Amino acid sequence: MSSIKQIPVIEEKRTNPLARVFDELVRFCRSRSLFLLHYCTGCGAIELPPAMTSRFDMERLGIQPMVSPRQADILLITGYVSIKTLKRVILTYEQMGSPKYVIGICSCTVNGGMYWQSYATAKKLDEYMPVDLYIAGCMPRPEAVIEGLQQLMQRIKTGEAKGWEDYYRNYDYYLGNQQKLFGNDWQTPTDVITEAKHYDLLGEGTLGEHTALLEQHQQPLEALEMRLGHQVKEPAE
Amino acid sequence: MAPLELIIELVLMPLVAFIVGLMMVLMMRRIAAKLQRRVGPPFFQPLYDIVKLHGKRTQVSHGMIHDIGIVMAMGGYIAAETLLPVPGMNGIAEKGGIITLLYLMMIPSLGLALGVGQCANPNGSIGIARALTAMLAYDIPLVIVVFGVAYAAGTTNLVEIIATQQAGGFETWGAVQMPLLAIAGLIAMHASLGKQPFEIYIAPAEIATGPMVEMGGKYLGGLFVMQSFQLYTTSVLYVSLFLGGGTTWFDFLLKSFLVLAIPVSIAYLFPRYRTEDLLRLMWKWPVMLGLIGIAFVM
């Protein structure tokens, strides 16, 4: 929720002792193999190339950049998110496969930074999606970024980094904040509630007044029209 | 051969191929890191990646053909491994021959095309169109090379080709007897790996990894497995055709890793060609070298 510490960790129910060993292995592999999707919105992006290339080399920790949200584990948001950008960030976040982690880099994602007085920026990122880790600074140096990523790896290994579950369990809270910013008819192509039901992640906060509002405005998604070549629009009569 | 022995070989050969393939992926990434003056990934990194991808909680499927496409992509190579003789194990290589092997090596691209088609992502469609164009480009020199070797050996049986080379020693190796075909084969093999400068269908900065764009979780994991098989199959085929296979596991693995190191080292020094450049280059130089090589053989 609004503070990272408050996100409750809910243990998975396991009865088979071998399953525990297997979980341990999967958690270890998750922590050692992180695919990074960097959503570079602001000046923090400039610190990522040195962190990835020969100077600091993230790949020795198993972290490598990926280009599409489906492949990625970490959504790295580097800098301020304007209201227009935030829509895209949320679409990207919902398309990622769980378990997924969000890292906010720079002061702007923490509290708006120097854009505090701007009418067009979203101030706190964790009101709109669960953030697993903030790396503060304006901008944080590559050492700080790698230090932060190592902390995240530690949290994944111990099973604490469960921000993505919080998005399903408290979807109403996040959707409410999103609606406050984008208007009541805000809707994303990903049906989070159905996903939460399918993966057995329905919590007390999944459904509420805001999701009821969503259902009122929700328009059924239609498949994109498939056509070949360029089509000239007929003039309206 | 006893049926039980054959079954054990059929299980063992893909398994060995997978493990060696994982090490080849590691070698590829380590070489890239060394060339870029980085440290590179840890030893078990390819395994971590695959376990993590299969351990994802949400798996986004786009339908049945999407699932089947990935299985075809992996299955084509798994079937191909049983036709590739390794030291001590021949599998069904004597009955299959090189022509079947070449067919099986095309199946993964076609399976991927099916799977990506259902994702309906424009980047994926562009990527797979480019992948099939690239296949058209490198398959012609590859077929010429394989034909030349088979013509010179007088057989399409891979086991016999290897046995002849091993019996005659170093002078009878394909690379010594038919150097032009060996060079053409190396270029065709480089293109079939899909590495730079022939990386037209992955192109992360341009079409967002092309065929892999909608793949997440176990689908991407399947493709990672496929990649390790691909590296193994290509290099072992080359070693069998031109470097006399392997009498022991040690020289077999040494040869296959060395052969793979050549295209991989070249790859990370070059940017990418465009599709038409790839076609022009592939149909000009390796084809020309291959045809001259065949003329010498005849």
Side-chain angles (χ1 to χ4, degrees), chain B residues 149 152 161-162 164-166 169-183 238-245 297:
Chain B
V149 175
I161 294 176
I162 295 172
T164 333
Q165 292 181 57
Q166 284 176 353
F170 180 70
E171 296 81 42
T172 53
W173 278 12
V176 181
Q177 295 275 318
M178 307 163 275
L180 287 177
L181 283 180
I183 294 169
Y238 191 85
V239 167
S240 312
L241 288 180
F242 292 110
L243 300 178
V297 169

Side-chain angles (χ1 to χ4, degrees), chain B residues 55-77:
Chain B
K56 281 260 192 190
R57 274 295 293 283
T58 53
Q59 309 274 5
V60 182
S61 171
H62 292 272
M64 191 141 166
I65 300 294
H66 186 201
D67 303 355
I68 292 175
I70 304 296
V71 174
M72 265 177 83
M74 271 198 290
Y77 277 122

Side-chain angles (χ1 to χ4, degrees), chain A residues 38-187:
Chain A
H38 34 95
Y39 198 93
C40 297
T41 54
C43 33
I46 210 77
E47 300 294 336
L48 284 180
M52 279 171 201
T53 50
S54 55
R55 180 88 170 127
F56 294 103
D57 187 22
M58 272 182 191
E59 203 187 4
R60 71 203 150 94
L61 303 175
I63 302 165
Q64 52 174 325
M66 279 279 160
V67 290
S68 101
R70 297 264 189 237
Q71 305 163 352
D73 303 305
I74 300 182
L75 179 59
L76 200 75
I77 295 163
T78 61
Y80 68 93
V81 271
S82 70
I83 291 168
K84 255 189 174 176
T85 319
L86 185 61
K87 285 184 185 172
R88 275 75 185 172
V89 171
I90 290 166
L91 294 190
T92 311
Y93 177 71
E94 286 182 355
Q95 280 181 38
M96 286 164 63
S98 310
K100 50 194 169 184
Y101 316 99
V102 181
I103 300 182
I105 289 192
C106 299
S107 315
C108 299
T109 50
V110 182
N111 57 8
M114 66 182 206
Y115 298 96
W116 173 248
Q117 287 171 315
S118 164
Y119 59 90
T121 48
K123 304 295 182 298
K124 289 180 189 168
L125 188 62
D126 57 32
E127 287 181 350
Y128 309 101
M129 58 179 69
V131 178
D132 288 281
L133 187 83
Y134 278 122
I135 303 171
C138 186
M139 303 103 38
R141 283 189 49 76
E143 293 99 320
V145 174
I146 288 179
E147 175 72 28
L149 282 165
Q150 274 179 325
Q151 274 184 30
L152 181 71
M153 283 165 70
Q154 201 57 43
R155 289 170 61 89
I156 294 170
K157 206 183 285 178
T158 53
E160 287 171 71
K162 294 233 165 156
W164 60 276
E165 281 190 8
D166 193 58
Y167 193 71
Y168 290 113
R169 292 193 204 280
N170 287 310
Y171 183 55
D172 191 52
Y173 166 79
Y174 295 110
L175 185 69
N177 287 332
Q178 291 166 13
Q179 280 172 348
K180 223 181 283 172
L181 216 55
F182 309 137
N184 286 341
D185 55 348
W186 164 248
Q187 179 195 349

Side-chain angles (χ1 to χ4, degrees), chain B residues 48-124:
Chain B
Y48 294 154
D49 287 347
I50 288 171
V51 172
K52 179 213 66 178
L53 284 168
H54 283 92
K56 281 260 192 190
R57 274 295 293 283
T58 53
Q59 309 274 5
V60 182
S61 171
H62 292 272
M64 191 141 166
I65 300 294
H66 186 201
D67 303 355
I68 292 175
I70 304 296
V71 174
M72 265 177 83
M74 271 198 290
Y77 277 122
I78 292 175
E81 309 314 345
T82 58
L83 293 171
L84 270 177
V86 291
M89 286 190 282
N90 281 339
I92 47 173
E94 279 176 78
K95 295 173 185 81
I98 317 180
I99 297 171
T100 323
L101 183 63
L102 279 186
Y103 267 111
L104 283 176
M105 281 169 71
M106 279 180 207
I107 287 180
S109 293
L110 300 177
L112 209 55
L114 276 180
V116 171
Q118 199 173 31
C119 295
N121 188 313
N123 280 326

